[in-house]
Amino acid sequence: ETHSTLPDSFAMLRASIVLAIAAAASAFAPGPILTSSRTAARSNAISSMQMQAKSKALPWLDRPPKLDGTIPGDSGFDPLWVTSMLPDKGWVKYLQEAEIKHGRIAMLAVVGAIVQDVYRFPGVDSVIGTAKLTAVHDKFLALEATKGSGYATMHQIFLWVGLLEIFSSIATIQMFLGNSDRVPGSFGFDPLGFGKN
């Protein structure tokens, strides 16, 4: 029985590799050629693909119409033509805001992972011992299960991050609706003056 399942597993591995290569290659394929009747914006963007300038980021692809270089940092990188399916530029600003926010969270996560290896805050050893990264999460959950939710309060993280998200979304919604000239990612918080020219 071992001999009959071994070739099957190799065939499945080969098929998985071929599918992974095909999926990776399709990410760099040109935008859609067939028109869609779902929205007028998508239809107009697709029908105007033939006369578009080339993208700076991917010079073998046409630049999507909504990425015209007016947005800071825009180099025309949109291989899946997501911006062409959006009804207006407010949506592009919303996606840019989300991308900046996720990048900032990822940077903070990396700093947090490094800091916990370099420095131990007072009192941490008595609560979680010498656990690192995901083991800290598991320790907190185990403490909540055994000693109650008042001991290791993971739900407080959820509460404060949720409140921060609600308050920051006010500025994002105003920008999305076009009621402010706010640049995506800018909250006017620059105490050290790095944003000044």
Side-chain angles (χ1 to χ4, degrees):
E1 190 174 322
T2 311
H3 296 291
S4 65
T5 58
L6 193 59
D8 291 339
S9 64
F10 282 127
M12 190 169 233
L13 177 65
R14 280 193 299 254
S16 299
I17 291 172
V18 168
L19 287 174
I21 291 171
S26 69
F28 296 100
I33 349 175
L34 301 174
T35 59
S36 170
S37 59
R38 289 174 92 184
T39 62
R42 178 178 167 84
S43 162
N44 291 339
I46 293 171
S47 64
S48 64
M49 281 175 47
Q50 282 72 22
M51 300 304 290
Q52 293 295 322
K54 294 294 183 187
S55 168
K56 289 180 189 175
L58 303 169
W60 60 90
L61 293 179
D62 292 334
R63 184 187 71 216
K66 291 200 176 130
L67 297 180
D68 54 5
T70 57
I71 300 171
D74 173 24
S75 61
F77 182 78
D78 188 8
L80 299 178
W81 281 62
V82 173
T83 55
S84 301
M85 296 179 241
L86 303 174
D88 60 15
K89 282 193 114 169
W91 283 92
V92 176
K93 286 184 175 183
Y94 179 77
L95 293 177
Q96 187 179 13
E97 176 85 22
E99 185 174 358
I100 291 169
K101 182 181 288 188
H102 293 143
R104 288 175 178 167
I105 290 170
M107 288 186 280
L108 286 172
V110 168
V111 169
I114 293 170
V115 166
Q116 73 174 345
D117 280 338
V118 176
Y119 179 75
R120 298 297 289 184
F121 291 97
V124 171
D125 289 335
S126 65
V127 178
I128 59 169
T130 59
K132 305 272 189 226
L133 285 176
T134 55
V136 172
H137 173 264
D138 297 340
K139 285 268 193 180
F140 277 140
L141 291 181
L143 285 171
E144 282 190 0
T146 59
K147 297 191 178 189
S149 62
Y151 189 75
T153 53
M154 290 291 284
H155 57 275
Q156 279 193 15
I157 295 173
F158 182 72
L159 171 74
W160 292 113
V161 169
L163 287 173
L164 180 68
E165 186 70 23
I166 288 170
F167 289 126
S168 69
S169 68
I170 296 168
T172 305
I173 291 169
Q174 292 298 320
M175 178 196 62
F176 175 70
L177 296 174
N179 297 338
S180 73
D181 56 351
R182 179 180 166 272
V183 177
S186 172
F187 287 97
F189 180 74
D190 188 14
L192 299 177
F194 288 130
K196 294 180 182 173
N197 292 335

